[in-house]
Amino acid sequence: MTTDVDLDQYRTEAARWLADNVSRRDASSYRGARGGGEESPEFIAEQRALQHKLFDAGYAGIAWPVEFGGAGLTNAHQRVFNEEASGYALPILLGVTLGMIGPTVLMYGTDEQKRAWIPKMLSGEEIWVQFLSEPGAGSDLAGVRTRATRDGDTWVINGSKVWSTGAMYSDVGMCLARTDWDVPKHRGLTWFRVPIAADGVTVRPIREINGGAEFCEEFLDDVVVPDDHAIGEINGGWPIANTLLALERGAAGGAGAGMMASRRRRLAPDLVALAREAGTEGDARVRQEIARAHINDYMHGQLAQRVVASIANGTLDMSGASMIKLGSGIYNPLRARIGMEIGGAAAIAWDTDDAEGNDTATTYLNGRIMSIAGGSNQIQRNLIGERLLGLPREPSFDTDKPFNEVLRDAQMWGE
């Protein structure tokens, strides 16, 4: 394929291929045998096989370089495919791999790393997950304490991570670790590729309020990785972390955008269908709430498109993604509440085969995910104020202090 492929022709071909090769999306598209992040081995195998089918057809990594397994087309072609694929059950388990980690590796990895790793991501052979947050490093992500110590031509990693989505079925963790304790906390961090099957890696699912176990915690005990598994410069991991977080917040509509959009739709059941099921579609108040939700849907979609386009054309840096993320953090709880109000009793108790009632209640329980995950609403407001509006930074006592001194002071004060 070449970049001069006509968009209308491409749309027609993509629509035909999707109709012939991918199932239409329904409630079962988002669940394995048990759902809630506890996908069955059969479901995971189906997801990998479907991703491989997309890869073979040239619909994985549409705007990624050909030399690394992509199709070498443009973001416009990717957007066209996402539009045509919106009603189909794309392989959602690779949303993090292709929407966040893959683009980050493309930006910071060596050519050898990209040739070795990117095609495996695109084909579904490897599912990657973030090893990012820690019990003591969430909002203050630069406070990571997982330690990576050089040992000849290898690194030995010790520490723990938490809130890793899908680690129980993933193959590789992209792990942020501290490699220098004698410099300020933002300057001593390095990223590593960590095979989850490696000796010393333990993954434990975390039971959530919605009954699922989508998130995991990981323990790394003397995990050995080769030197060529370091991603980017040694001690240069903080800019990479910012890139990864910007992508998580919606900075680009890349190869994983369709899958991540599909995953978001699981948390937003159609309100019109819900009102009809509850028998409230004729209620004037319900109709107003549905109109309110659809207006917000449209406006948030337009905001996301504008921010992504501005980042792509260079008129806005990647921190602009905080506007998309803050919008989701504010809007998702509101939409979840609207769903509960429309569903009424059917959203509190439902028959076992009633997907709308189940989804509505789960949506309500999950409604605040985006106000916390990937940086809380408060963090996004800080980023918008400081990086986009040029407001003064919040005062910090440890910005220029060596991290080992920060830890010593914290221990002294009993923190």
Side-chain angles (χ1 to χ4, degrees):
M1 291 187 179
T2 60
T3 56
D4 60 356
V5 174
D6 178 76
L7 287 177
D8 290 336
Q9 176 188 349
Y10 187 78
R11 184 183 296 275
T12 300
E13 293 173 352
R16 184 183 302 118
W17 187 89
L18 286 162
D20 292 342
N21 292 276
V22 185
S23 301
R24 301 294 299 187
R25 189 175 65 219
D26 58 27
S28 65
S29 306
Y30 307 112
R31 301 181 180 89
R34 292 149 62 191
E38 299 172 274
E39 284 78 7
S40 69
E42 294 78 14
F43 181 73
I44 296 168
E46 290 170 2
Q47 294 271 291
R48 291 183 190 271
L50 178 54
Q51 183 62 36
H52 204 288
K53 184 184 290 188
L54 287 161
F55 178 68
D56 287 343
Y59 293 120
I62 290 170
W64 294 14
V66 173
E67 60 266 34
F68 305 129
L73 297 175
T74 68
N75 288 331
H77 292 88
Q78 179 71 66
R79 184 169 59 251
V80 164
F81 181 80
N82 290 347
E83 291 169 357
E84 292 303 314
S86 62
Y88 290 89
L90 295 180
I92 59 174
L93 298 189
L94 285 102
V96 171
T97 305
L98 300 181
M100 295 151 52
I101 293 177
T104 302
V105 172
L106 281 174
M107 281 186 259
Y108 294 98
T110 64
D111 283 352
E112 290 77 12
Q113 289 173 336
K114 288 182 278 191
R115 289 192 181 94
W117 303 342
I118 295 296
K120 292 181 180 180
M121 297 183 196
L122 291 173
S123 67
E125 181 179 347
E126 287 187 350
I127 298 175
W128 287 49
V129 64
Q130 297 180 80
F131 284 178
L132 186 56
S133 296
E134 298 182 6
S139 295
D140 181 19
L141 189 59
V144 160
R145 300 188 192 186
T146 292
R147 176 189 298 267
T149 305
R150 187 186 288 277
D151 182 13
D153 59 356
T154 66
W155 292 85
V156 181
I157 303 177
N158 285 277
S160 64
K161 297 291 180 177
V162 73
W163 308 124
S164 305
T165 303
M168 77 290 286
Y169 55 72
S170 296
D171 306 292
V172 179
M174 185 171 170
C175 179
L176 185 63
R178 187 162 301 281
T179 44
D180 191 339
W181 299 73
D182 298 321
V183 296
K185 61 184 180 181
H186 296 87
R187 302 177 199 166
L189 300 169
T190 306
W191 286 94
F192 295 92
R193 178 188 190 272
V194 176
I196 292 178
D199 291 342
V201 178
T202 302
V203 176
R204 294 180 185 170
I206 299 171
R207 185 64 57 185
E208 302 160 42
I209 190 175
N210 61 12
E214 183 176 11
F215 300 110
C216 298
E217 58 181 345
E218 299 81 35
F219 301 92
L220 300 101
D221 299 299
D222 291 332
V223 178
V224 179
V225 298
D227 194 44
D228 63 5
H229 276 31
I231 302 169
E233 296 181 5
I234 302 301
N235 297 329
W238 186 244
I240 301 176
N242 282 327
T243 297
L244 189 70
L245 288 170
L247 290 166
E248 182 174 4
R249 293 161 185 163
M259 285 156 254
M260 296 184 80
S262 295
R263 196 170 186 83
R264 284 194 294 270
R265 288 301 300 168
R266 179 177 69 173
L267 303 182
D270 184 76
L271 298 178
V272 174
L274 180 62
R276 287 172 177 161
E277 175 140 342
T280 57
E281 72 270 27
D283 186 294
R285 185 187 62 82
V286 168
R287 295 171 71 89
Q288 283 294 106
E289 290 296 288
I290 291 174
R292 180 185 183 191
H294 280 294
I295 289 169
N296 285 341
D297 280 345
Y298 179 80
M299 294 304 297
H300 189 261
Q302 293 299 305
L303 170 67
Q305 288 185 32
R306 181 172 181 177
V307 169
V308 169
S310 298
I311 292 172
N313 65 29
T315 59
L316 187 67
D317 68 39
M318 292 186 75
S319 60
S322 289
M323 292 188 287
I324 304 175
K325 174 66 168 59
L326 179 60
S328 297
I330 293 172
Y331 166 63
N332 285 7
L334 173 62
R335 201 184 203 285
R337 182 181 59 76
I338 290 173
M340 290 293 286
E341 290 179 355
I342 291 173
I348 299 173
W350 57 87
D351 294 331
T352 56
D353 59 350
D354 177 8
E356 292 295 342
N358 186 338
D359 282 352
T360 304
T362 302
T363 296
Y364 183 77
L365 294 175
N366 289 344
R368 295 196 177 276
I369 286 177
M370 291 304 293
S371 66
I372 302 170
S376 67
N377 287 357
Q378 291 80 3
I379 294 294
Q380 305 315 310
R381 289 189 173 98
N382 280 356
L383 293 173
I384 292 168
E386 294 171 5
R387 299 184 185 179
L388 299 180
L389 302 180
L391 299 177
R393 293 181 59 86
E394 285 195 344
S396 174
F397 74 92
D398 60 2
T399 299
D400 298 316
K401 182 180 292 188
F403 191 64
N404 53 11
E405 294 184 18
V406 174
L407 295 182
R408 183 196 62 197
D409 293 347
Q411 293 171 354
M412 183 183 303
W413 291 100
E415 295 180 12

